[in-house]
Amino acid sequence: MSGPALSRRGFLGAAGFTAGVLLTGCATAPSPDVTVAYWNFFGGGDGERMVGLVDRFRADNPRIGVSATTLEWGSPYYTKLAMACAGGRAPDLATLHTSRLVTFGRDLLEPWDLAELEARGVRLDDFPPAVTERLAVDGELVGLPLDTHPMVLYYNTDVCDRAGLLDASGELRPLHGPDTLLDAGRRAAEVTGATGIAFAATGTNEPWMLFWSLYNQAGGRMDLPDGGPARVDRDAMVTAMGYLQAFCDGTIASPTLDSDAAVATFASAQSGFLVTGPWEYTSAETAGIPFSMTRFPAVFGDRAIVRADSHCFVVPRQDSVDPTVRAAAYDLAVSMLDDSVSWAEGGHVPALAAVAESPEYLAMQPQSRYRDVVDDVEFDPVAYYSGSGSTMMNRAAQTLQAVAGGGLTPERGADDLTAWLDTQLRLESPL
């Protein structure tokens, strides 16, 4: 399963080879000398922006070809990538969610060579510490972060203005505390005549994102050791699930909307708020409604901890490594980081400090308004079945949907989810 690591000497040799090729290319029409196989899972607006990043790299590096493959996000992507790594036929570069990294990183990924990254102008302290901590496996960096994408709060400025929820400058008043957000939802519902907050209570991502944010704000911690049992804070679970149930009372938020319906409800101004990830920025913009975005508030405690994930680039383990191709894969990854201000147009917070602090990104409104959330993000608990698009997210959603709809009490919901976690921990990892 393990493949040969690329040595620094190999990199230097590859760099020299590449330089020679480039000099030769001055006298002839450029054509790709190496091709980097790159896998990703981006569709919709993110997919279009990713194509743009790759195309600009191709234009700037005509001697490096890129064979980009887009696969279905979720289990199909991660299963195919894991099997390709295990079989030694993995692509040269791939995109991963950081929340799925630990399991891959133990056996299936190569660590990034920090010296080679620095030679390309990228250093570890160029990224948010909260993100890079999750990108290290056994003390080595195995993921190169592209962004952070937290759960955020969208708000319709017209609805919120009529509901008296904006300050003199037109910004949303602070919604800190368990009652303030619920009250804002009721006031928005009075304006819309429908619900106040669009929320995908029957989705898979959103129930988990809201629960995990509230659970951590309530002081909950979760540890999932091999063999179990799950170490959870039952009181914090009950608190978070109790709030979810109060949130989905049919007036503040509906307990029956799925992800598409929640976005459509906000886009048609039938709600004053939308709680989801920043990736729906394009949907709201396309709808032409007056809206802005901000951090999800601190419902419990003083710190607005929020569930987040991060897209990162990884170097899958291969049976045979071509140093020239590996060097080109580094070039491609760093190029996409340097160019990620265009990626931020879709709502993601850039990971590279030079981009996150650039005038172009800071002028990007409302996308840059919640950029400081990177200091308060909480990733999913570490387990082979956790993370974005995972079995745990899907199974937890079943419990949370039942709680939101009143079919389970918060206490029974907490016990149901804990029992499932205990069962999972007794199973042997398939990877």
Side-chain angles (χ1 to χ4, degrees), residues 304-339:
I305 301 171
V306 67
R307 191 268 179 187
D309 207 335
S310 166
H311 296 122
C312 66
F313 298 117
V314 297
V315 179
R317 185 150 293 180
Q318 298 171 321
D319 282 346
S320 177
V321 174
D322 182 330
T324 308
V325 176
R326 180 62 59 84
Y330 270 61
D331 291 341
L332 173 59
V334 171
S335 169
M336 290 193 283
L337 291 180
D338 289 338
D339 195 18

Side-chain angles (χ1 to χ4, degrees), residues 48 65 82 121 136 138 178 250 255 287 370 398:
E48 294 176 6
D138 297 333
Y370 46 87
Q398 295 178 25

Side-chain angles (χ1 to χ4, degrees), residues 59-84:
D60 293 340
N61 300 272
R63 308 308 296 262
I64 301 175
V66 180
S67 175
T69 301
T70 302
L71 301 168
E72 182 182 355
W73 177 76
S75 293
Y77 179 82
Y78 290 112
T79 300
K80 188 174 181 64
L81 182 60
M83 293 178 67

Side-chain angles (χ1 to χ4, degrees), residues 112-129:
W112 285 92
D113 187 317
L114 299 184
E116 292 303 327
L117 289 175
E118 188 165 349
R120 290 165 172 81
V122 174
R123 298 173 303 176
L124 196 58
D125 58 7
D126 289 333
F127 303 104

Side-chain angles (χ1 to χ4, degrees), residues 211 214-215 235-247 300 396 399-400 403-404 408-418:
F211 165 76
L214 296 172
Y215 176 76
D235 290 343
M237 292 181 86
V238 172
T239 297
M241 291 188 188
Y243 194 84
L244 172 66
Q245 197 168 71
F247 189 80
F300 302 118
T399 300
L400 298 170
V403 171
L408 284 178
T409 65
E411 290 78 8
R412 288 189 61 190
D415 293 340
D416 177 70
L417 181 55
T418 303

Side-chain angles (χ1 to χ4, degrees), residues 17 19 36 55 65 75 141 149 179 189 201 203 209 234 259 280 294-296 301 355 367 375 379 388 412:
F17 175 82
V36 177
D55 283 348
S75 293
L141 185 74
H149 44 278
D179 296 328
M209 290 194 296
R234 185 177 185 276
S259 297
E280 294 297 350
T294 189
R295 293 179 57 166
F296 185 80
V355 177
Q367 295 97 318
D375 296 326
F379 288 84
S388 294
R412 288 189 61 190

